[in-house]
Amino acid sequence: MLKNWFQKGIQTFSSDKNCVNRDGYIRRAPIVALLVFSMFVVEMGALLRNSQVSVSANEVVAKYEEEAMVRVSKNTIVMGDIYDSKGVPLLSYEKPLSQDHGTYADNYIYSSVIGYCQMGNKGGLAGKYQPLLIMTSDSEDTKGYSMYLTLEHELQKKVYEELSSCIGSDGRGSMVVLDADTGKILSMVSMPVYDASNISEEAKWMNDEEKSNGVWYPLATKGMIAPGSTFKLLSAIALIESGREDFTTADDTSYQGSGYVINNYSSYRSSPNPIGYRGALKKSSNVFFVKALVQEEDTRERITEIASRLYLGTPLNLDFGVVTSTFTYTDDIWEQVLQKTYFNEERELATTLFGQSEVRMSSLQGAMMAAGFINHGVIMTPYMIESVRDSRGNEQNLSKIMEHFNEKMVSEKDTALSVLTDPSTAEKILDAMKYAATEQYHFSPDLGVAAKSGTSETGNTGNAGNNSWMVSCAEINGHCYAIAINWANAAAGTQGKDMKVPVENVFRYLKNQQ
């Protein structure tokens, strides 16, 4: 390991084999200092092994490597900049970190997605890649590598405008726009926001749980909430893949289970005609999916396997960070479920089928789900880092960089992350989503939107505090997009279908930009 580190220490990630090391501090010192430093690390590794301290040599090397890079960044190296996909600077530096907090295209819009890198404080994307942003290609450079993201600044502003108009400036919610064809994250906004350029002052209220409203856990990736009826899209996959696509049943408003009752939403209206999955998705019938699946012997295993295709219950390590979620039947969560005083195994399966029980996910996963349907069943790996370039504009080897910074990353960009379902099933459910979008949510027909809403109940009276969702997708001018939006602890009476306006406005914006 130490040998590998030493070899890395005398070259950059650049394809140029003659480049000197990627650690600015050592690069500027005489070569003898490099040797002395390396000997120190070797001695430290030997000491740890002999003393049987349970800290790996890799951890020691990483610690001193990072400290060295932080020291040099104080006075000699100016951090590289972060740009959007069109070259708009989103976060830029003109002086070393000791003198520059960074200049944002918008201090608030980019707080949760880009984060910050300042003296003594770092977080988010900028903090994660600080060692890269102070890396240089040769000894004459004083400006670190820059990163070009998949985000589009003008779209990011539009999404922020629509989300804040919908949920209010103090609301907690998120909205993600995904390129379904490629996996590019075009926009990612989480609220509440903070001033990332002044994190030391902002942290005073951010650390107060009552005031911060979950600001440390952005709903786009980490502040997971129950998806409600958007999960019925996965239950529809289970129904079709089990060969029961033609299942129909009476359109009832309630279902009497073994020791429990499942009801449809209070505003649900039953029909004298039988209902199938297409109509059940349009009307968002809890009862239909419970009646169709809860008594089938393999439903629990089947729905768990389908959920795993979306990485529900499994940390999803992407280039910008980790996306978190929970699922009822993962081992640790199931142990918690068993401790419930009102535990009923059949009821847990029934409520899981419409996105309650212990199912929690992020809006990025909601966008991934919709993207899978419009992309013929395939979910492309979401990614945010398009390229890395030195101060002269020379592109660096992104694969090697990601290998170093994300050793556990699930997949590289431009590759399939997973298969949500087969193309035929994807097309059938996409058609049902289009039916719901036009007949239930009344999207403008010219946009061709496919959508599913969801409202996950939190038990508060008058629907106050429920979580409102909508996942959607559309093919616009030959290109496929997916959008997910949520509002946690929404205003009283708010339902998932009320998320339609911001979603439609963003799709309209995308169409007008083509």
Side-chain angles (χ1 to χ4, degrees):
M1 289 295 184
L2 290 171
K3 178 182 177 183
N4 290 340
W5 173 83
F6 181 81
Q7 290 173 340
K8 288 180 179 179
I10 57 174
Q11 64 180 19
T12 66
F13 287 110
S14 169
S15 57
D16 182 359
K17 299 297 183 181
N18 295 318
C19 288
V20 289
N21 87 340
R22 60 187 179 84
D23 182 327
Y25 177 76
I26 298 172
R27 173 177 55 73
R28 293 181 177 277
I31 190 66
V32 65
L34 173 60
L35 295 173
V36 170
F37 182 80
S38 301
M39 289 172 66
F40 168 77
V41 175
V42 171
E43 288 295 324
M44 180 64 72
L47 177 63
L48 289 170
R49 284 195 299 273
N50 294 335
S51 63
Q52 296 184 339
V53 176
S54 59
V55 179
S56 71
N58 262 349
E59 290 173 322
V60 175
V61 169
K63 177 179 181 294
Y64 283 97
E65 182 182 34
E66 181 175 354
E67 287 180 357
M69 286 189 286
V70 170
R71 285 197 300 272
V72 73
S73 69
K74 288 182 182 180
N75 300 307
T76 58
I77 301 296
V78 177
M79 286 265 291
D81 303 323
I82 298 177
Y83 297 90
D84 84 341
S85 60
K86 298 179 178 173
V88 176
L90 305 180
L91 173 58
S92 56
Y93 292 85
E94 295 182 357
K95 299 176 182 178
L97 281 181
S98 59
Q99 308 165 47
D100 194 351
H101 283 182
T103 300
Y104 291 80
D106 188 294
N107 294 353
Y108 294 95
I109 292 178
Y110 291 105
S111 60
S112 63
V113 63
I114 289 183
Y116 46 91
C117 188
Q118 302 164 20
M119 285 305 302
N121 292 298
K122 63 178 184 177
L125 185 89
K128 176 182 177 65
Y129 289 99
Q130 180 194 19
L132 174 68
L133 294 169
I134 60 173
M135 194 182 301
T136 61
S137 289
D138 62 51
S139 60
E140 300 304 315
D141 278 354
T142 58
K143 180 77 171 176
Y145 288 170
S146 290
M147 300 177 69
Y148 288 75
L149 307 183
T150 58
L151 300 175
E152 296 181 6
H153 178 54
E154 293 301 323
L155 176 61
Q156 184 82 351
K157 291 194 297 182
K158 177 63 176 176
V159 169
Y160 178 80
E161 173 191 326
E162 293 297 333
L163 180 64
S164 56
S165 294
C166 176
I167 74 175
S169 58
D170 296 327
R172 183 165 183 250
S174 64
M175 195 170 187
V176 174
V177 182
L178 197 62
D179 184 321
D181 297 322
T182 64
K184 292 180 180 180
I185 299 172
L186 304 178
S187 176
M188 180 185 285
V189 173
S190 292
M191 296 180 66
V193 295
Y194 57 92
D195 184 354
S197 69
N198 192 21
I199 189 64
S200 24
E201 283 300 314
E202 291 285 271
K204 294 176 181 177
W205 69 267
M206 292 167 68
N207 288 323
D208 186 325
E209 291 185 10
E210 292 185 5
K211 295 179 181 179
S212 67
N213 196 18
V215 68
W216 289 116
Y217 302 97
L219 284 176
T221 55
K222 296 186 186 305
M224 29 190 204
I225 56 177
S229 293
T230 62
F231 190 88
K232 290 170 185 170
L233 297 171
L234 301 187
S235 295
I237 293 177
L239 185 66
I240 296 173
E241 289 186 352
S242 67
R244 306 178 68 243
E245 176 185 346
D246 296 329
F247 175 85
T248 59
T249 186
D251 187 15
D252 298 326
T253 57
S254 64
Y255 170 81
Q256 178 67 58
S258 178
Y260 68 97
V261 177
I262 295 296
N263 295 306
N264 280 322
Y265 205 72
S266 57
S267 61
Y268 192 93
R269 296 292 179 265
S270 62
S271 166
N273 301 317
I275 193 172
Y277 79 87
R278 193 167 181 267
L281 288 176
K282 170 182 173 284
K283 296 183 68 175
S284 203
S285 171
N286 299 338
V287 171
F288 171 84
F289 287 102
V290 174
K291 290 168 71 173
L293 294 167
V294 77
Q295 296 296 336
E296 297 298 305
E297 290 184 1
D298 65 345
T299 291
R300 173 174 162 176
E301 291 73 18
R302 185 181 294 277
I303 201 68
T304 299
E305 193 278 323
I306 292 171
S308 72
R309 302 173 194 174
L310 198 60
Y311 282 77
L312 289 181
T314 303
L316 179 58
N317 193 12
L318 300 173
D319 61 357
F320 62 87
V322 179
V323 180
T324 57
S325 61
T326 65
F327 188 68
T328 306
Y329 297 109
T330 52
D331 292 341
D332 55 341
I333 300 300
W334 185 241
E335 286 299 317
Q336 296 176 34
V337 172
L338 293 174
Q339 304 305 315
K340 292 180 178 179
T341 56
Y342 53 87
F343 173 74
N344 179 306
E345 186 168 2
E346 184 179 304
R347 177 185 178 278
E348 294 300 333
L349 177 57
T351 53
T352 295
L353 292 172
F354 52 88
Q356 294 271 176
S357 188
E358 296 303 318
V359 186
R360 305 286 185 272
M361 74 178 191
S362 66
S363 54
L364 177 59
Q365 286 168 303
M368 288 163 54
M369 180 177 9
F373 290 118
I374 201 168
N375 196 38
H376 313 291
V378 176
I379 300 175
M380 298 299 289
T381 301
Y383 70 97
M384 191 179 292
I385 302 173
E386 190 66 71
S387 66
V388 172
R389 305 175 194 177
D390 66 17
S391 61
R392 297 173 180 80
N394 299 315
E395 195 164 326
Q396 306 302 299
N397 190 319
L398 190 59
S399 294
K400 288 185 178 180
I401 291 172
M402 289 299 103
E403 183 181 345
H404 179 75
F405 282 96
N406 285 289
E407 293 181 358
K408 297 179 181 179
M409 194 164 68
V410 292
S411 185
E412 293 186 8
K413 69 174 188 175
D414 300 324
T415 59
L417 176 68
S418 68
V419 176
L420 183 61
T421 188
D422 62 86
S424 175
T425 301
E427 182 62 32
K428 291 170 183 175
I429 296 177
L430 182 67
D431 180 67
M433 292 171 67
K434 289 180 178 178
Y435 177 54
T438 54
E439 298 297 320
Q440 190 73 9
Y441 313 130
H442 308 295
F443 277 89
S444 177
D446 72 300
L447 291 174
V449 174
K452 179 72 189 83
S453 68
T455 308
S456 55
E457 299 179 18
T458 57
N460 295 316
T461 58
N463 301 329
N466 289 347
N467 305 312
S468 300
W469 281 84
M470 181 168 282
V471 301
S472 60
C473 52
E475 182 176 349
I476 296 177
N477 297 333
H479 205 85
C480 295
Y481 300 94
I483 298 177
I485 184 173
N486 56 30
W487 182 4
N489 304 118
T494 304
Q495 300 181 34
K497 65 182 181 180
D498 298 319
M499 302 293 100
K500 174 251 184 177
V501 172
V503 171
E504 183 170 54
N505 288 344
V506 172
F507 275 124
R508 178 72 62 192
Y509 172 88
L510 290 169
K511 183 172 183 178
N512 292 338
Q513 294 304 300
Q514 294 291 319

